[in-house]
Every structure is written in structure tokens, then in C-alpha cells.
Amino acid sequence: MNDFSQEFGWLFLVGIFLVSYIFGLLWQAIMQNVWGGKIIKEISNGRMFYFKTKNGEYRLESTHKKFSFKLKNESKWTLVDYDDIKDIHILTSTDTASLIEFFLGDWGLWDMFGKYRDFLHTYSIQVLLKDQRIIPIMELKQYEQREWLLGQLFLKLSNWILKIFKMYRQGDEVAEEALEKIAEKFKRAGCDIQVRPTR
């Protein structure tokens, strides 16, 4: 028994390390996933396109060149002409994610320093009207872990592995794709909407 444990004990330890690392990768993939940005429902016929997101409901009518929307928690539809639309763009904002980090992340002493606090990135896809009204279309969020020195190297290696298995993507890439898809829907409905480049 003693010979068996000496010969195969290290294999057991390596196995435990690999299993725990795989579980860590899976948890990291869940934590850093891009959330939101989904079209809940869409209906299309030759003249009208309707879609719904968590931010509201939207209709594009190619015959009358009208864009109508009913935002979340609103009861009435608002109607605007295609000519009243200035552009569609992504507004990016970043906040610290202290609560997420404390309860779900790997909070430690270094997180007392702002440089190492985790972030929550928000990508808001919005239509801007010529009268400066903003119509929110959809919102995507991504949690970003920030670590100290060796932790940062370990995190980069883990994200590289997750990218290989298509389990990690940058939030800005996903938001740009969503923006292009929505702009394409506008264009198919006869609205030649301008896509403002993300800075």
C-alpha cells in the first residue's frame, strides 16, 4: 500500500489540481461572460419589422418610413419619421464592481487599492434622434477581473485558454456585433441609419 501511494500519489495530486483548475476556468467563463444584448422576440413581414428587447419594443415601417417605440415601463408608443433619426451608436461606461467582487469574486487585500478593483463594463446601444432624444435599444454588461502582478498573468493565461474553447469574448466585440445586427435590421426596413463609430 505504501509503494502504491508513493508511485501514484503524485498522479492523484496532479489530477486534483487539473480538476480544480478546470472548475476555476468554468467559473471564470461564467463570471466574465457578456450578459444581455438579446432580442427577445422579432416579427417581420414585407413592410414591417418588430423586435423586443429588455429595454422596450420597436417597430420599423418601410411603407410609411416610421420608427415607433415603447420603452420599458411605458404604456404608449412614440412615433418618429426615419428622417428624424440621426444615428445609432454604443455608449460605453465603466463602474467598479466591488459588491460582485466581494461576494462572487476573489476579494483580497490588494482590492483596497483602486488600481486592482474589478470593473463592470456596460455597453448601451442607443438610437439618437435629431432633437437629441436618446432611445435605448439594448444593454450588454461584462465583469472584468483585475489582479495584482502574478494574478494578472494567471488571468491572461486563463482568458487565452477560454478564448481557444470559445468561452470568452471581449465585451466591446460582442457589442459591436450586436450594433451591426440592429443597424442591418433598420436598413432592411428602408431606414438608412448612420452607425456612429465607437471611440
Side-chain angles (χ1 to χ4, degrees):
M1 183 73 177
N2 197 21
D3 291 337
F4 179 82
S5 64
Q6 284 179 347
E7 286 185 38
F8 297 102
W10 66 274
L11 281 174
F12 179 72
L13 290 174
V14 168
I16 287 175
F17 172 79
L18 285 174
V19 168
S20 64
Y21 185 69
I22 288 167
F23 275 111
L25 280 175
L26 292 173
W27 179 249
Q28 193 171 327
I30 290 167
M31 287 291 288
Q32 297 189 114
N33 188 30
V34 179
W35 302 101
K38 303 284 188 257
I39 292 178
I40 299 166
K41 182 179 180 181
E42 58 182 277
I43 302 167
S44 179
N45 61 32
R47 296 164 294 141
M48 187 271 295
F49 179 75
Y50 164 90
F51 67 101
K52 180 179 182 179
T53 69
K54 287 187 175 178
N55 288 76
E57 299 177 68
Y58 312 88
R59 279 194 307 240
L60 295 154
E61 298 175 49
S62 58
T63 307
H64 301 100
K65 306 256 185 238
K66 301 284 186 187
F67 171 51
S68 52
F69 54 92
K70 183 171 71 169
L71 299 179
K72 185 179 175 182
N73 300 326
E74 289 185 359
S75 56
K76 293 180 181 178
W77 286 85
T78 302
L79 187 71
V80 296
D81 292 327
Y82 282 179
D83 291 339
D84 294 332
I85 297 172
K86 186 174 181 182
D87 67 38
I88 187 166
H89 61 273
I90 299 171
L91 179 69
T92 306
S93 62
T94 300
D95 294 308
T96 56
S98 302
L99 286 175
I100 297 171
E101 186 174 13
F102 186 77
F103 289 106
L104 297 174
D106 54 350
W107 192 87
L109 181 63
W110 290 107
D111 297 312
M112 298 291 287
F113 303 95
K115 188 176 177 182
Y116 304 109
R117 284 191 192 132
D118 293 355
F119 284 147
L120 184 64
H121 300 287
T122 303
Y123 306 91
S124 301
I125 298 175
Q126 306 173 337
V127 168
L128 176 65
L129 301 181
K130 287 179 180 173
D131 64 6
Q132 300 306 305
R133 278 184 292 165
I134 291 171
I135 295 107
I137 303 293
M138 69 171 51
E139 200 171 74
L140 302 91
K141 291 183 182 284
Q142 185 176 42
Y143 176 70
E144 179 194 354
Q145 289 178 274
R146 292 167 13 119
E147 302 297 336
W148 179 77
L149 200 56
L150 289 175
Q152 190 64 30
L153 293 173
F154 181 77
L155 191 59
K156 285 182 181 179
L157 174 65
S158 299
N159 285 344
W160 178 75
I161 292 168
L162 290 171
K163 275 184 187 177
I164 290 172
F165 291 100
K166 300 188 185 317
M167 296 174 72
Y168 172 77
R169 292 187 68 201
Q170 288 288 116
D172 54 352
E173 291 174 12
V174 179
E176 285 287 344
E177 279 182 17
L179 175 68
E180 286 172 20
K181 284 179 185 173
I182 291 167
E184 185 59 33
K185 292 179 192 308
F186 273 78
K187 287 174 182 175
R188 276 194 212 155
C191 178
D192 191 23
I193 195 165
Q194 180 185 346
V195 179
R196 192 198 309 169
T198 306
R199 296 185 186 120

